[in-house]
Amino acid sequence: MTEVRRSQKWVISKDAPSKVEDLSFVSIGPDERPIWWKPEVLKTRYSQAHCALGTAYAYEFLDFMNNPHASDDTKELILGFIVSAMIHGSRDWKAVTVAESFMKTVGTYMSTGAVYR
């Protein structure tokens, strides 16, 4: 086996999300449980706008995951919850485009340790 270490630097602002409820694409249901993927779907048919929104949600997610002040005990499971909600969510092309851009950005970060804002 080979041990791999990756050093990364992630700069977050002081208003970075610190709770699941702070993530723009997460809603809290009537039973007080998170709805893990409920993005704002734009009305425009301009696909680049939906891509940009997905990328912005990914940056927000990565801010949360890298925030040392984030206080969520399900942090290690959250991406699985989000992907599951995406799979079971809307099949509307706009929502799918937002989800694809989100996952491309997160995937880039996971494989390279960096993304370029």
Side-chain angles (χ1 to χ4, degrees), residues 33-93:
R33 300 179 109 189
I35 300 169
W36 292 101
W37 186 250
K38 192 167 182 174
E40 179 75 30
V41 178
L42 306 172
K43 293 180 181 178
T44 184
R45 295 188 56 78
Y46 186 59
S47 65
Q48 286 83 350
H50 301 286
C51 287
L53 182 59
T55 301
Y57 285 152
Y59 292 152
E60 187 178 314
F61 169 74
L62 293 170
D63 282 348
F64 172 76
M65 294 302 289
N66 286 292
N67 186 348
H69 305 293
S71 59
D72 187 70
D73 49 351
T74 60
K75 211 172 183 183
E76 68 276 1
L77 303 173
I78 193 170
L79 186 58
F81 294 150
I82 293 167
V83 171
S84 178
M86 285 177 177
I87 291 168
H88 299 292
S90 174
R91 299 293 180 236
D92 175 73
W93 72 267

